[in-house]
Amino acid sequence: MRPSSASQHNTQPRQMTDYPVYHEIASNEGPKMQKINDSITSLLTQVQKRDTRAAEKVVQLSSELAEIYYGVLPRDIFFTFSMNLEQHLWKQAFYKPIEVFKSVVNSPKESSKTFRGLMLVLLNKGIAFYERLIGLYEKELNVDMEKAMLVPSILHEDDFWSVSSFSNSAEQSATKQRVAVKSCSRHLISLGDLKRYKTLVEGSEDYQHARITYMRSALLWPASGHCYNQLAVVAYFSTIYCCHYADYQAYNGR
């Protein structure tokens, strides 16, 4: 008999410190993560003053911080998902630098071209990182992305794992796979955001790559609303482009 959701919840740790892996991370990776995050925050103040060397250092530290998360995230997927480490990774290593870089890229000053190039480096590194991270989930956590995207569309989440390749595993193992899939869905949102930002920086109007990535996230976790919000964002930008293109065609046709 399947345990009720309430009983499952009661058996799970409720606080961050209840997870044994928390103390391991706090003693090992934690101090370095905090130091890098603080350094990025400090350097971004200099980037706002158009310091290109500071921007170069931010790109480097972003990769270093992401690599630490790469080793931490799959260690205990219950801890990762419950503590929303996916979002911490995204905000600290990518979103925070991107927002500051955007402010200096959108400027008429000559250095804007340099910052635009550095921002593209940051985005491309981020895209490569997330693709590698999702591959790690597939390998280390046995996440079958193709099956996970297909089956939830025709089955309820509670029934999915009974027909998956993990049907002969213990309940704990099945729950672990389900949580890993949801964690992947979060990472795909971040990957889609990076692709969307890249489209903007490159001056392209083709948001197809971002849209497909958001759709993959939705297929993995249909009940999550975040992916639909991001799909609405790319739909908005695509609509603006279509309107501008139609106006351009009408103007040239006169």
Side-chain angles (χ1 to χ4, degrees):
M1 180 177 179
R2 183 187 297 272
S4 67
S5 58
S7 64
Q8 287 180 336
H9 176 74
N10 290 335
T11 62
Q12 293 296 321
R14 297 182 180 181
Q15 303 294 330
M16 179 180 291
T17 53
D18 291 337
Y19 291 87
V21 72
Y22 164 77
H23 302 283
E24 178 185 333
I25 295 171
S27 299
N28 299 317
E29 294 89 354
K32 186 174 182 180
M33 294 167 77
Q34 185 62 55
K35 182 179 179 180
I36 295 176
N37 186 42
D38 290 343
S39 295
I40 290 176
T41 300
S42 177
L43 286 166
L44 287 175
T45 302
Q46 299 303 313
V47 174
Q48 289 176 320
K49 299 176 182 178
R50 312 194 69 80
D51 186 334
T52 56
R53 290 188 177 182
E56 292 172 354
K57 186 64 176 178
V58 167
V59 173
Q60 175 191 333
L61 291 177
S62 169
S63 295
E64 291 181 10
L65 183 57
E67 283 304 312
I68 298 176
Y69 272 102
Y70 184 86
V72 167
L73 290 168
R75 196 172 300 171
D76 184 339
I77 196 62
F78 295 105
F79 175 76
T80 291
F81 188 79
S82 298
M83 298 300 123
N84 204 9
L85 293 192
E86 305 94 344
Q87 191 69 1
H88 288 294
L89 159 65
W90 164 245
K91 286 187 174 181
Q92 293 175 3
F94 299 105
Y95 178 75
K96 185 168 61 175
I98 287 170
E99 285 301 298
V100 174
F101 276 43
K102 282 169 58 181
S103 68
V104 293
V105 164
N106 297 323
S107 169
K109 296 185 178 181
E110 292 183 4
S111 58
S112 295
K113 184 176 181 180
T114 300
F115 284 112
R116 185 175 293 107
L118 288 170
M119 185 171 178
L120 281 173
V121 172
L122 175 66
L123 294 172
N124 285 326
K125 282 180 175 288
I127 290 170
F129 168 78
Y130 273 103
E131 290 175 344
R132 187 160 54 90
L133 178 62
I134 291 170
L136 180 69
Y137 270 59
E138 292 178 315
K139 179 180 178 181
E140 298 294 330
L141 299 174
N142 298 317
V143 173
D144 188 332
M145 293 284 286
E146 297 303 319
K147 182 177 291 185
M149 283 189 286
L150 288 173
V151 180
S153 63
I154 58 175
L155 293 176
H156 293 295
E157 181 180 301
D158 290 340
D159 298 329
F160 166 54
W161 297 104
S162 64
V163 297
S164 72
S165 58
F166 308 103
S167 58
N168 295 324
S169 301
E171 181 69 20
Q172 179 77 359
S173 178
T175 303
K176 181 178 180 180
Q177 305 306 323
R178 185 162 59 246
V179 172
V181 166
K182 289 183 176 181
S183 182
C184 268
S185 177
R186 287 176 174 174
H187 291 314
L188 283 169
I189 293 292
S190 299
L191 178 58
D193 285 346
L194 288 168
K195 292 179 178 181
R196 176 168 57 86
Y197 284 125
K198 183 179 179 181
T199 299
L200 286 169
V201 175
E202 291 181 335
S204 172
E205 302 294 346
D206 184 3
Y207 291 91
Q208 179 180 358
H209 294 298
R211 184 183 299 108
I212 290 173
T213 306
Y214 292 142
M215 290 178 66
R216 291 178 69 199
S217 174
L219 288 171
L220 287 181
W221 190 5
S224 173
H226 194 180
C227 48
Y228 305 113
N229 291 337
Q230 301 311 97
L231 282 167
V233 171
V234 294
Y236 171 76
F237 281 114
S238 297
T239 300
I240 290 178
Y241 167 70
C242 289
C243 291
H244 287 173
Y245 182 76
D247 290 343
Y248 174 79
Q249 291 292 92
Y251 177 81
N252 286 330
R254 290 177 181 174

